[in-house]
Amino acid sequence: MATVQRIDQVRLQQVTEERQVAETRQRLSLFNANTFERTGALQFGDGTRIDVPSMNEQDRDRAAQIFASVPEGQRAAVQASFEALAAAIYNEAKQNPEGIKVGSFSSGLTSALGNSTEMFMLTTGPAQADAAVTGVMFGAMVGVEQELGNFAQDLKNKLNTAKDVRTDITELRNELADWTDPNEKRHFTWTEVSIDANGNVTTTQKEGDLNKAEAEALMKKLEEQLASLSDVTELQKFDLQRMNQDYQQGLNTLSGLLKAQHDMMMAIIRNVKAS
């Protein structure tokens, strides 16, 4: 009898461990799929530096645990609602640069909060209703952090592209310094940049054999592209500084908003339980 009980205990422990592993895998899959790559500090050519803020690891872990309750088939919809809420928070900060007072939130922000709260509760069930405020708060925090991080990562990519173009220009300049035969051809590889009206950058890797005149023309072309790229990154640098401020204000806005909308959340809870 003792042996049978022992076997049952082992089986129960195995089932429990397997469930915990599955829950952890689900949690990490959802959380990691929707967070941005850490960018750390961005260093600019003029010596200035921008540090990109982020949630602390304790909050990130708590957010991951909360997201574990979201069924796999509903993750995309929940994440989309969090991203919409994060965008509304940033927009609110832009419209109220001097600070946002509880009770003065825009209809767009309150609507985004309502959608996120309802989506979170409908996908996790009424049993999770008491955790709705916490779940939406952390979901929005991840969304706010992700938007800031994506912007910072894009800027970092552009700075790296500018560095590559600058290296190509230096190589061309060094080669031209002792290029005496105009008909001689030398092999080069370089990065060309195109920038659209919205500041999006596309790079093309090229290579070929060039004579001296072609190398001089290419160097001039790359210098013009570098100047345009530098203009874009300079503007984006100021945008990132503003977003850093909006990030902090956005979290304060979210905290106040959730408190102000507590009655609305309770009404949603009652509707969900009644359905």
Side-chain angles (χ1 to χ4, degrees):
M1 185 67 176
T3 302
V4 173
Q5 291 178 340
R6 176 60 178 168
I7 292 175
D8 289 341
Q9 290 175 353
V10 171
R11 286 176 177 173
L12 177 60
Q13 182 178 356
Q14 289 176 336
V15 171
T16 301
E17 290 176 352
E18 289 174 357
R19 184 175 66 250
Q20 290 175 343
V21 170
E23 290 176 351
T24 300
R25 185 179 300 112
Q26 179 193 45
R27 180 170 69 246
L28 294 178
S29 174
L30 173 65
F31 190 55
N32 291 338
N34 296 293
T35 53
F36 63 86
E37 179 183 350
R38 286 288 192 273
T39 55
L42 297 184
Q43 194 76 34
F44 295 86
D46 60 1
T48 59
R49 161 185 168 138
I50 298 179
D51 293 314
V52 181
S54 64
M55 294 166 57
N56 60 51
E57 291 303 320
Q58 182 179 358
D59 283 345
R60 293 176 68 84
D61 183 64
R62 190 176 180 190
Q65 294 176 19
I66 291 171
F67 294 166
S69 62
V70 179
E72 184 175 357
Q74 301 294 333
R75 294 177 185 176
V78 171
Q79 181 63 27
S81 74
F82 287 153
E83 290 174 355
L85 177 55
I89 290 171
Y90 271 117
N91 188 58
E92 196 82 3
K94 293 177 186 176
Q95 294 178 358
N96 299 274
E98 296 181 357
I100 304 170
K101 297 180 179 179
V102 175
S104 64
F105 303 116
S106 69
S107 59
L109 181 54
T110 54
S111 176
L113 174 69
N115 290 338
S116 287
T117 304
E118 185 172 5
M119 177 65 68
F120 186 82
M121 291 171 56
L122 289 176
T123 55
T124 58
Q128 298 291 331
D130 292 339
V133 169
T134 304
V136 172
M137 181 183 73
F138 279 99
M141 285 176 67
V142 171
V144 168
E145 183 183 272
Q146 180 174 326
E147 185 165 343
L148 172 64
N150 287 343
F151 191 89
Q153 186 63 48
D154 179 66
L155 177 54
K156 183 177 181 179
N157 292 339
K158 289 175 182 175
L159 292 173
N160 288 337
T161 296
K163 182 179 179 181
D164 292 340
V165 174
R166 198 173 291 110
T167 298
D168 293 337
I169 292 173
T170 300
E171 181 181 351
L172 285 165
R173 184 176 291 111
N174 291 338
E175 290 289 331
L176 287 168
D178 62 354
W179 203 323
T180 57
D181 184 357
N183 296 318
E184 176 191 0
K185 288 198 171 185
R186 301 183 185 181
H187 190 79
F188 294 94
T189 59
W190 66 92
T191 301
E192 289 197 10
V193 177
S194 60
I195 305 172
D196 65 18
N198 296 319
N200 297 315
V201 174
T202 302
T203 61
T204 305
Q205 303 300 318
K206 293 188 176 183
E207 64 176 301
D209 296 323
L210 308 176
N211 60 33
K212 184 177 182 180
E214 292 170 335
E216 290 173 335
L218 175 60
M219 186 175 72
K220 181 178 179 180
K221 179 180 180 180
L222 293 181
E223 287 174 339
E224 293 173 350
Q225 292 178 356
L226 179 61
S228 298
L229 182 57
S230 297
D231 290 340
V232 170
T233 56
E234 188 66 19
L235 290 173
Q236 197 165 342
K237 178 178 73 172
F238 289 110
D239 288 339
L240 180 60
Q241 291 172 328
R242 174 187 54 77
M243 287 187 71
N244 275 352
Q245 296 174 348
D246 291 346
Y247 172 85
Q248 301 297 340
Q249 184 174 336
L251 297 185
N252 294 333
T253 298
L254 177 61
S255 176
L257 177 62
L258 288 171
K259 292 178 182 177
Q261 297 301 312
H262 179 74
D263 291 342
M264 179 195 70
M265 183 208 68
M266 296 307 297
I268 295 175
I269 292 174
R270 288 192 292 268
N271 290 337
V272 172
K273 289 183 176 179
S275 61

